[in-house]
Amino acid sequence: MSNVLLRPATAADLPQITALVRAAYTPWVDVIGATPGPMQDAYGPAIAEGVVQVMEDAQGLVALLILRPLDDAMLLENVAVLPRAQGMGLGQSLLTMAERATREAGFGRIVLYTHARMASNLALYERAGFVRIEERRERGLDRVYMEKTLG
């Protein structure tokens, strides 16, 4: 997708971010039998913290990345791509950007979690070099935690 810009999210982006997350995660509702965690989250505080990056094109926001520093790693909290932009490599670009930001922040490891029934997400992360480290139930959701050690 040409002419896609990555930038920090602002408070004015909140309605589009909420719509983007809803559109990206709604297909998973039937698969997991519940509302995915990202659809339950409030994004205003994360925007205010400065941990939300968005990708936009001429039509508006197409993707987002939420990356949050922890004590010993960077948490890849959310990667979401609007359905019309899926399959264009934006998710992979965001993963690459997340790894670069993790290194630049001085961390050697990036962690994430996804729902245990989101098989395509699990496969994507495994292809990107993430390994499963733990499974647990949180907020009524079966989550798989993964990590990638960065060289």
Side-chain angles (χ1 to χ4, degrees), residues 5 9-10 38 52 60 63 105 112 118 139 145 149:
L5 170 73
T10 67
V52 182
L112 62 83
M118 292 182 171
R139 293 172 54 182
Y145 280 75
T149 301

Side-chain angles (χ1 to χ4, degrees), residues 25-36 39 118:
Y25 285 93
T26 292
W28 291 108
V29 173
D30 288 340
V31 173
I32 68 174
T35 301
M39 290 176 71
M118 292 182 171

Side-chain angles (χ1 to χ4, degrees), residues 5-62:
L5 170 73
L6 179 72
R7 63 170 176 78
T10 67
D13 295 319
L14 184 57
Q16 280 192 75
I17 287 171
T18 302
L20 186 158
V21 169
R22 187 177 326 108
Y25 285 93
T26 292
W28 291 108
V29 173
D30 288 340
V31 173
I32 68 174
T35 301
M39 290 176 71
Q40 300 175 35
D41 293 341
Y43 291 92
I47 293 168
E49 288 175 52
V51 297
V52 182
Q53 298 283 316
V54 293
M55 281 185 158
E56 65 181 338
D57 65 11
Q59 298 174 18
L61 299 187
V62 293

Side-chain angles (χ1 to χ4, degrees), residues 4 23 54 62 65 85-86 131:
V4 175
V54 293
V62 293
L65 170 68
Q86 291 175 2
V131 295

